[in-house]
PDB file of all heavy atoms in Angstrom:
ATOM      1  N   SER A  77      25.937 -33.233 156.567  1.00 85.00           N
ATOM      2  CA  SER A  77      26.792 -34.390 156.263  1.00 85.00           C
ATOM      3  C   SER A  77      27.534 -34.877 157.499  1.00 85.00           C
ATOM      4  O   SER A  77      27.816 -36.072 157.637  1.00 85.00           O
ATOM      5  CB  SER A  77      27.801 -34.032 155.169  1.00 85.00           C
ATOM      6  OG  SER A  77      27.132 -33.693 153.974  1.00 85.00           O
ATOM      7  N   ASP A  78      27.841 -33.971 158.423  1.00 86.00           N
ATOM      8  CA  ASP A  78      28.612 -34.340 159.612  1.00 86.00           C
ATOM      9  C   ASP A  78      27.840 -35.255 160.551  1.00 86.00           C
ATOM     10  O   ASP A  78      28.441 -35.945 161.386  1.00 86.00           O
ATOM     11  CB  ASP A  78      29.041 -33.086 160.382  1.00 86.00           C
ATOM     12  CG  ASP A  78      30.024 -32.236 159.599  1.00 86.00           C
ATOM     13  OD1 ASP A  78      30.669 -32.791 158.688  1.00 86.00           O
ATOM     14  OD2 ASP A  78      30.157 -31.042 159.902  1.00 86.00           O
ATOM     15  N   VAL A  79      26.505 -35.237 160.454  1.00 91.00           N
ATOM     16  CA  VAL A  79      25.697 -36.002 161.415  1.00 91.00           C
ATOM     17  C   VAL A  79      24.800 -37.030 160.738  1.00 91.00           C
ATOM     18  O   VAL A  79      23.826 -37.505 161.320  1.00 91.00           O
ATOM     19  CB  VAL A  79      24.852 -35.046 162.290  1.00 91.00           C
ATOM     20  CG1 VAL A  79      25.745 -34.177 163.157  1.00 91.00           C
ATOM     21  CG2 VAL A  79      23.931 -34.182 161.434  1.00 91.00           C
ATOM     22  N   GLY A  80      25.126 -37.360 159.493  1.00 93.00           N
ATOM     23  CA  GLY A  80      24.334 -38.375 158.801  1.00 93.00           C
ATOM     24  C   GLY A  80      23.020 -37.853 158.270  1.00 93.00           C
ATOM     25  O   GLY A  80      22.083 -38.645 158.047  1.00 93.00           O
ATOM     26  N   GLY A  81      22.930 -36.553 158.034  1.00 92.00           N
ATOM     27  CA  GLY A  81      21.678 -35.967 157.578  1.00 92.00           C
ATOM     28  C   GLY A  81      21.516 -35.898 156.079  1.00 92.00           C
ATOM     29  O   GLY A  81      20.618 -35.207 155.573  1.00 92.00           O
ATOM     30  N   ARG A 101      15.628 -41.341 163.703  1.00 92.00           N
ATOM     31  CA  ARG A 101      16.166 -42.026 164.873  1.00 92.00           C
ATOM     32  C   ARG A 101      17.615 -41.638 165.164  1.00 92.00           C
ATOM     33  O   ARG A 101      17.981 -41.383 166.306  1.00 92.00           O
ATOM     34  CB  ARG A 101      16.108 -43.550 164.660  1.00 92.00           C
ATOM     35  CG  ARG A 101      14.741 -44.180 164.739  1.00 92.00           C
ATOM     36  CD  ARG A 101      14.871 -45.701 164.828  1.00 92.00           C
ATOM     37  NE  ARG A 101      15.752 -46.253 163.792  1.00 92.00           N
ATOM     38  CZ  ARG A 101      15.336 -46.614 162.573  1.00 92.00           C
ATOM     39  NH1 ARG A 101      14.066 -46.468 162.234  1.00 92.00           N
ATOM     40  NH2 ARG A 101      16.177 -47.123 161.704  1.00 92.00           N
ATOM     41  N   ASN A 102      18.440 -41.620 164.128  1.00 93.00           N
ATOM     42  CA  ASN A 102      19.887 -41.580 164.318  1.00 93.00           C
ATOM     43  C   ASN A 102      20.494 -40.176 164.316  1.00 93.00           C
ATOM     44  O   ASN A 102      21.456 -39.914 165.045  1.00 93.00           O
ATOM     45  CB  ASN A 102      20.576 -42.420 163.235  1.00 93.00           C
ATOM     46  CG  ASN A 102      20.140 -43.865 163.294  1.00 93.00           C
ATOM     47  OD1 ASN A 102      19.834 -44.395 164.370  1.00 93.00           O
ATOM     48  ND2 ASN A 102      20.095 -44.521 162.138  1.00 93.00           N
ATOM     49  N   VAL A 103      19.955 -39.285 163.492  1.00 91.00           N
ATOM     50  CA  VAL A 103      20.583 -37.966 163.355  1.00 91.00           C
ATOM     51  C   VAL A 103      20.598 -37.187 164.665  1.00 91.00           C
ATOM     52  O   VAL A 103      21.615 -36.584 165.027  1.00 91.00           O
ATOM     53  CB  VAL A 103      19.910 -37.166 162.221  1.00 91.00           C
ATOM     54  CG1 VAL A 103      20.340 -35.701 162.266  1.00 91.00           C
ATOM     55  CG2 VAL A 103      20.274 -37.775 160.866  1.00 91.00           C
ATOM     56  N   PRO A 104      19.519 -37.161 165.452  1.00 89.00           N
ATOM     57  CA  PRO A 104      19.578 -36.416 166.719  1.00 89.00           C
ATOM     58  C   PRO A 104      20.689 -36.911 167.638  1.00 89.00           C
ATOM     59  O   PRO A 104      21.363 -36.118 168.299  1.00 89.00           O
ATOM     60  CB  PRO A 104      18.191 -36.647 167.330  1.00 89.00           C
ATOM     61  CG  PRO A 104      17.308 -36.848 166.149  1.00 89.00           C
ATOM     62  CD  PRO A 104      18.142 -37.632 165.175  1.00 89.00           C
ATOM     63  N   LEU A 105      20.895 -38.230 167.705  1.00 89.00           N
ATOM     64  CA  LEU A 105      21.960 -38.775 168.555  1.00 89.00           C
ATOM     65  C   LEU A 105      23.336 -38.343 168.046  1.00 89.00           C
ATOM     66  O   LEU A 105      24.203 -37.933 168.825  1.00 89.00           O
ATOM     67  CB  LEU A 105      21.864 -40.299 168.584  1.00 89.00           C
ATOM     68  CG  LEU A 105      20.607 -40.883 169.248  1.00 89.00           C
ATOM     69  CD1 LEU A 105      20.530 -42.392 169.002  1.00 89.00           C
ATOM     70  CD2 LEU A 105      20.615 -40.588 170.746  1.00 89.00           C
ATOM     71  N   ARG A 106      23.523 -38.436 166.739  1.00 89.00           N
ATOM     72  CA  ARG A 106      24.811 -38.044 166.161  1.00 89.00           C
ATOM     73  C   ARG A 106      25.027 -36.533 166.280  1.00 89.00           C
ATOM     74  O   ARG A 106      26.158 -36.065 166.455  1.00 89.00           O
ATOM     75  CB  ARG A 106      24.883 -38.488 164.697  1.00 89.00           C
ATOM     76  CG  ARG A 106      24.889 -40.002 164.545  1.00 89.00           C
ATOM     77  CD  ARG A 106      25.041 -40.430 163.109  1.00 89.00           C
ATOM     78  NE  ARG A 106      26.345 -40.038 162.570  1.00 89.00           N
ATOM     79  CZ  ARG A 106      26.752 -40.333 161.331  1.00 89.00           C
ATOM     80  NH1 ARG A 106      25.961 -41.058 160.540  1.00 89.00           N
ATOM     81  NH2 ARG A 106      27.928 -39.947 160.908  1.00 89.00           N
ATOM     82  N   TYR A 107      23.938 -35.791 166.216  1.00 88.00           N
ATOM     83  CA  TYR A 107      24.063 -34.342 166.372  1.00 88.00           C
ATOM     84  C   TYR A 107      24.557 -33.989 167.773  1.00 88.00           C
ATOM     85  O   TYR A 107      25.421 -33.126 167.950  1.00 88.00           O
ATOM     86  CB  TYR A 107      22.735 -33.640 166.098  1.00 88.00           C
ATOM     87  CG  TYR A 107      22.818 -32.143 166.356  1.00 88.00           C
ATOM     88  CD1 TYR A 107      23.368 -31.303 165.406  1.00 88.00           C
ATOM     89  CD2 TYR A 107      22.382 -31.600 167.564  1.00 88.00           C
ATOM     90  CE1 TYR A 107      23.487 -29.930 165.636  1.00 88.00           C
ATOM     91  CE2 TYR A 107      22.491 -30.239 167.810  1.00 88.00           C
ATOM     92  CZ  TYR A 107      23.038 -29.409 166.846  1.00 88.00           C
ATOM     93  OH  TYR A 107      23.154 -28.070 167.087  1.00 88.00           O
ATOM     94  N   LEU A 108      24.003 -34.648 168.799  1.00 85.00           N
ATOM     95  CA  LEU A 108      24.434 -34.363 170.165  1.00 85.00           C
ATOM     96  C   LEU A 108      25.905 -34.709 170.361  1.00 85.00           C
ATOM     97  O   LEU A 108      26.638 -33.993 171.059  1.00 85.00           O
ATOM     98  CB  LEU A 108      23.569 -35.135 171.160  1.00 85.00           C
ATOM     99  CG  LEU A 108      22.105 -34.668 171.273  1.00 85.00           C
ATOM    100  CD1 LEU A 108      21.343 -35.559 172.235  1.00 85.00           C
ATOM    101  CD2 LEU A 108      22.025 -33.211 171.700  1.00 85.00           C
ATOM    102  N   ASP A 109      26.371 -35.809 169.753  1.00 84.00           N
ATOM    103  CA  ASP A 109      27.793 -36.157 169.826  1.00 84.00           C
ATOM    104  C   ASP A 109      28.637 -35.089 169.131  1.00 84.00           C
ATOM    105  O   ASP A 109      29.701 -34.690 169.628  1.00 84.00           O
ATOM    106  CB  ASP A 109      28.043 -37.519 169.169  1.00 84.00           C
ATOM    107  CG  ASP A 109      27.466 -38.672 169.992  1.00 84.00           C
ATOM    108  OD1 ASP A 109      27.234 -38.469 171.196  1.00 84.00           O
ATOM    109  OD2 ASP A 109      27.237 -39.752 169.411  1.00 84.00           O
ATOM    110  N   TRP A 110      28.171 -34.651 167.960  1.00 82.00           N
ATOM    111  CA  TRP A 110      28.901 -33.608 167.219  1.00 82.00           C
ATOM    112  C   TRP A 110      28.969 -32.318 168.016  1.00 82.00           C
ATOM    113  O   TRP A 110      30.006 -31.659 168.088  1.00 82.00           O
ATOM    114  CB  TRP A 110      28.187 -33.371 165.881  1.00 82.00           C
ATOM    115  CG  TRP A 110      28.795 -32.278 165.051  1.00 82.00           C
ATOM    116  CD1 TRP A 110      29.790 -32.406 164.133  1.00 82.00           C
ATOM    117  CD2 TRP A 110      28.437 -30.894 165.053  1.00 82.00           C
ATOM    118  NE1 TRP A 110      30.079 -31.194 163.563  1.00 82.00           N
ATOM    119  CE2 TRP A 110      29.260 -30.243 164.117  1.00 82.00           C
ATOM    120  CE3 TRP A 110      27.497 -30.137 165.751  1.00 82.00           C
ATOM    121  CZ2 TRP A 110      29.174 -28.874 163.873  1.00 82.00           C
ATOM    122  CZ3 TRP A 110      27.416 -28.773 165.516  1.00 82.00           C
ATOM    123  CH2 TRP A 110      28.253 -28.148 164.585  1.00 82.00           C
ATOM    124  N   GLU A 111      27.835 -31.970 168.639  1.00 78.00           N
ATOM    125  CA  GLU A 111      27.783 -30.740 169.432  1.00 78.00           C
ATOM    126  C   GLU A 111      28.778 -30.805 170.591  1.00 78.00           C
ATOM    127  O   GLU A 111      29.490 -29.839 170.880  1.00 78.00           O
ATOM    128  CB  GLU A 111      26.364 -30.547 169.979  1.00 78.00           C
ATOM    129  CG  GLU A 111      26.220 -29.354 170.914  1.00 78.00           C
ATOM    130  CD  GLU A 111      24.962 -29.429 171.739  1.00 78.00           C
ATOM    131  OE1 GLU A 111      24.092 -30.268 171.435  1.00 78.00           O
ATOM    132  OE2 GLU A 111      24.873 -28.673 172.705  1.00 78.00           O
ATOM    133  N   LYS A 112      28.851 -31.968 171.245  1.00 76.00           N
ATOM    134  CA  LYS A 112      29.747 -32.133 172.376  1.00 76.00           C
ATOM    135  C   LYS A 112      31.200 -31.965 171.942  1.00 76.00           C
ATOM    136  O   LYS A 112      32.007 -31.309 172.616  1.00 76.00           O
ATOM    137  CB  LYS A 112      29.533 -33.512 172.997  1.00 76.00           C
ATOM    138  CG  LYS A 112      30.362 -33.770 174.248  1.00 76.00           C
ATOM    139  CD  LYS A 112      30.024 -35.141 174.830  1.00 76.00           C
ATOM    140  CE  LYS A 112      30.852 -35.410 176.084  1.00 76.00           C
ATOM    141  NZ  LYS A 112      30.535 -36.744 176.662  1.00 76.00           N
ATOM    142  N   MET A 113      31.575 -32.541 170.800  1.00 71.00           N
ATOM    143  CA  MET A 113      32.948 -32.449 170.315  1.00 71.00           C
ATOM    144  C   MET A 113      33.310 -31.025 169.906  1.00 71.00           C
ATOM    145  O   MET A 113      34.448 -30.588 170.054  1.00 71.00           O
ATOM    146  CB  MET A 113      33.144 -33.377 169.113  1.00 71.00           C
ATOM    147  CG  MET A 113      33.211 -34.852 169.478  1.00 71.00           C
ATOM    148  SD  MET A 113      33.680 -35.867 168.066  1.00 71.00           S
ATOM    149  CE  MET A 113      32.344 -35.531 166.925  1.00 71.00           C
ATOM    150  N   LEU A 125      17.826 -34.615 173.724  1.00 85.00           N
ATOM    151  CA  LEU A 125      17.481 -35.369 172.529  1.00 85.00           C
ATOM    152  C   LEU A 125      16.111 -34.949 172.012  1.00 85.00           C
ATOM    153  O   LEU A 125      15.888 -34.836 170.796  1.00 85.00           O
ATOM    154  CB  LEU A 125      17.510 -36.861 172.863  1.00 85.00           C
ATOM    155  CG  LEU A 125      17.263 -37.844 171.724  1.00 85.00           C
ATOM    156  CD1 LEU A 125      18.338 -37.714 170.659  1.00 85.00           C
ATOM    157  CD2 LEU A 125      17.218 -39.268 172.271  1.00 85.00           C
TER     158      LEU A 125
END
Side-chain angles (χ1 to χ4, degrees):
S77 298
D78 294 339
V79 295
R101 287 193 310 272
N102 300 328
V103 168
L105 294 171
R106 294 183 65 178
Y107 176 81
L108 291 177
D109 290 340
W110 177 89
E111 175 197 348
K112 183 177 180 180
M113 286 188 299
L125 184 62

